[in-house]
Amino acid sequence: MKKSYLTLVVHILVKEAYREEIKAELLKLISPTRGEEGCIAYDLHQDNDNPNLFLFHEKWVNQEYLTKHSQSNHIAAYRIISKDKLENVTAYKMTELTN
């Protein structure tokens, strides 16, 4: 039986004036996060029609590892840098379905 992982999809809508700054900061999150224990995948996307919209598609072994990630130093630093520069952030926590 295939193991079911925790998937997180995060939509980040950036204020246009800060798009390039936040994009650079989002890119900085990839390497340290992929090195975290429990991280299966951590991929960043930018919308083709709205360049202010970014999406993270994440896959974690379980909630415990996702919680540790959310408390990491690089995520804390990003939260400080991005404060007041985002229009909206929506996160969808999902369980992968297997057959």
Side-chain angles (χ1 to χ4, degrees):
M1 184 169 99
K2 184 178 174 188
K3 177 147 175 84
S4 199
Y5 295 110
L6 178 64
T7 299
L8 188 67
V9 177
V10 182
H11 292 219
I12 303 164
L13 185 59
V14 179
K15 292 178 181 177
E16 188 167 357
Y18 301 105
R19 178 177 57 226
E20 293 306 315
E21 176 187 355
I22 296 300
K23 179 179 180 178
E25 294 300 325
L26 293 171
L27 287 166
K28 288 180 190 177
L29 297 174
I30 296 171
S31 182
T33 299
R34 285 181 177 167
E36 290 179 40
E37 184 179 10
C39 179
I40 305 297
Y42 192 78
D43 301 310
L44 177 64
H45 306 268
Q46 187 173 19
D47 190 85
N48 291 338
D49 295 323
N50 180 357
N52 298 328
L53 179 60
F54 296 88
L55 180 143
F56 269 114
H57 182 266
E58 309 175 26
K59 192 177 287 190
W60 296 90
V61 170
N62 59 35
Q63 179 62 51
E64 180 182 339
Y65 290 113
L66 177 57
T67 299
K68 287 180 184 179
H69 164 68
S70 68
Q71 298 168 348
S72 67
N73 290 337
H74 52 278
I75 293 298
Y78 167 76
R79 285 188 181 122
I80 292 168
I81 290 167
S82 66
K83 185 173 172 31
D84 299 324
K85 297 177 183 174
L86 308 178
E87 290 285 345
N88 188 47
V89 176
T90 307
Y92 302 93
K93 197 181 299 182
M94 304 174 170
T95 300
E96 180 181 7
L97 300 179
T98 60
N99 188 351

